[in-house]
């Protein structure tokens, strides 16, 4: 399936359904035995996974160190608040700019590579950032991380909203998530998105028809890092802290699994499904066993082997089969009353 093909609706049904379902969680999440913070965490990881899928699913670039930019956003938000100016808008925008700038810097070094070499370079740079976060104690706090990050109020000048409560923070993050979701949806269905899909299909052909492949790969990585940084900043607000583990290699692996299990390679909505599935599996399986990641890993391997298009791919396959299924043949009046069925010359195949 061509991810960016066709004319896209401005507000497609899955987008409205996703935002409506998230908006309604305070009404029912406690009744099913879950908690509101879980919905907030799922939404932040959805944002991270959607930004990552711009790189993997739409441009075909495998980044296995992307947790670094999630962590950079978290640390930048905390440091700007604690060291520069405790203002929500300044800190959020600053975190996005820092993550975007560092992503752009890394992209300068790796955008001329492809395949396994590209993937290995993303791991190497990701580990560099993780090592700095662990060892630069005077700035990052080392293994102890940054603590006492405040949930600053959303000040609009004429009115200000406190975000100290989980519900208030959830609605604020939902508004940000909605803007990111609509923005990414429009981007992948824009001329830029079609060029990225062309690069995924064949870099050489895209270059042959006149596109600057290096520039578009650089741009995809930079935008993806910026979205990851925004998600990381919101995560730091939610956790009220920032730790090096969010930049680790296994955290980068989590977002890859979310995208692949959800079906991000064939559907824009795959990361949304995958993030919700992963976080819910973690919490629900974690109730029964400490080795929940083992069982999730087995499920992940089964999906990759037997259904590599993920959950979204399974759904698409089922819907395609329904569309192709022929309508039930209408019976003749004689058959309805038990009379003889008339013979059709040419045999059964010709009759069909």
């Amino acid at each position: 399936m061509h991810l960016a093909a066709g004319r896209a609706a401005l507000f497609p049904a899955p987008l409205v359904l996703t935002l409506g379902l998230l908006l309604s969680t305070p009404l029912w999440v406690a009744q099913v035995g879950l908690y509101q913070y879980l919905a907030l965490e799922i939404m932040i990881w959805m944002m991270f996974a959607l930004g990552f899928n711009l790189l993997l699913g739409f441009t075909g670039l495998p980044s296995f160190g992307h947790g670094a930019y999630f962590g950079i956003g978290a640390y930048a938000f905390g440091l700007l608040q604690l060291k520069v100016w405790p203002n929500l808008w300044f800190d959020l925008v600053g975190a996005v700019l820092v993550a975007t700038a560092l992503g752009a810097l890394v992209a300068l070094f790796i955008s001329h590579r492809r395949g396994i070499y590209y993937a290995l370079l993303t791991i190497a740079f990701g580990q560099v950032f993780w090592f700095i976060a662990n060892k630069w104690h005077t700035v990052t706090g080392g293994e102890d991380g940054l603590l006492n990050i405040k949930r600053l109020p959303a000040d609009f000048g004429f009115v200000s909203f406190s975000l100290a409560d989980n519900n208030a923070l959830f609605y604020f993050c939902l508004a940000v998530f909605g803007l990111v979701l609509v923005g990414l949806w429009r981007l992948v269905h824009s001329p830029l998105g079609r060029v990225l899909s062309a690069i995924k299909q064949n870099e050489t052909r895209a270059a042959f028809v006149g596109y600057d492949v290096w520039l578009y790969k650089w741009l995809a990585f930079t935008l993806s890092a910026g979205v990851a940084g925004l998600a990381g900043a919101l995560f730091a607000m939610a956790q009220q802290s920032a730790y090096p583990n969010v930049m680790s290699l296994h955290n980068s692996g989590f977002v890859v699994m979310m995208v692949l299990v959800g079906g991000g390679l064939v559907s824009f909505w795959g990361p949304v499904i995958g993030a919700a599935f992963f976080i819910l599996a973690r919490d629900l399986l974690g109730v029964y066993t400490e080795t929940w990641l083992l069982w999730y890993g087995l499920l992940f391997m089964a999906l990759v082997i037997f259904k590599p298009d993920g959950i979204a791919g399974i759904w698409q396959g089922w819907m395609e089969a329904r569309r192709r299924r022929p309508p039930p043949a209408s019976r003749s009046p004689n058959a309805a009353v038990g009379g003889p069925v008339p013979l059709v010359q040419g045999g059964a195949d010709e009759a069909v």
Side-chain angles (χ1 to χ4, degrees), residues 38 47 62 82 102 148 167 223-224 270 279 287 332 351:
L38 183 65
M47 186 188 302
L82 298 172
L102 289 175
N148 300 318
N167 281 336
L223 291 173
S224 182
I279 301 297
V287 172
S332 68

Side-chain angles (χ1 to χ4, degrees), residues 111-134:
S111 294
H112 62 291
R113 298 294 181 186
R114 65 172 71 181
I116 188 63
Y117 302 105
Y118 187 95
L120 289 174
L121 282 172
T122 63
I123 293 173
F125 277 103
Q127 288 298 96
V128 167
F129 289 127
W130 174 80
F131 183 82
I132 291 171
N134 259 296

Side-chain angles (χ1 to χ4, degrees), residues 17 69 71 212 218 222 264 275 292 316 329:
L17 179 63
Y69 309 99
D212 187 340
W218 175 86
T222 301
W292 69 271
Q316 288 179 356

Side-chain angles (χ1 to χ4, degrees), residues 59 251 255:
T59 318
N251 227 40
V255 75

Side-chain angles (χ1 to χ4, degrees), residues 163-310:
L163 303 180
D165 179 69
N166 277 344
N167 281 336
L169 181 61
F170 173 81
Y171 287 121
F172 173 78
C173 292
L174 178 59
V176 177
F177 175 72
L179 293 174
V180 171
L181 186 60
V182 172
L184 287 174
W185 172 256
R186 297 310 304 165
L187 187 149
V188 300
H189 291 94
S190 69
L192 170 60
R194 290 179 174 84
V195 174
L196 297 182
S197 291
I199 291 171
K200 177 186 176 181
Q201 297 298 321
N202 193 307
E203 279 191 33
T204 304
R205 288 182 182 177
F208 183 76
V209 297
Y211 293 115
D212 187 340
V213 170
W214 181 92
L215 178 62
Y216 281 101
K217 287 169 66 174
W218 175 86
L219 186 59
F221 193 96
T222 301
L223 291 173
S224 182
V227 175
L230 177 58
L234 296 177
F235 192 68
M237 280 185 69
Q239 295 267 312
Q240 296 182 274
S241 56
Y243 296 100
N245 69 317
V246 298
M247 307 177 75
S248 65
L249 194 58
H250 76 264
N251 227 40
S252 299
F254 287 162
V255 75
V256 175
M257 286 197 290
M258 289 175 188
V259 167
L260 294 181
V261 167
L265 297 183
V266 298
S267 172
F268 176 86
W269 307 104
V272 173
I273 300 168
F277 186 81
F278 181 90
I279 301 297
L280 287 173
R282 181 199 69 187
D283 277 46
L284 297 177
L285 290 176
V287 172
Y288 301 101
T289 175
E290 294 182 358
T291 59
W292 69 271
L293 194 54
L294 167 65
W295 299 105
Y296 188 89
L298 293 173
L299 175 63
F300 174 76
M301 288 190 291
L303 269 173
V304 169
I305 293 170
F306 299 107
K307 295 291 183 181
D309 289 342

Side-chain angles (χ1 to χ4, degrees), residues 1 33 43 71 74 95 133 137 153 159 173 185 191 204 209 220 232 238 256 286 302 312 314 337:
M1 178 182 175
M43 185 166 55
H137 292 270
V159 65
C173 292
W185 172 256
T204 304
V209 297
V256 175
I314 294 172
V337 296

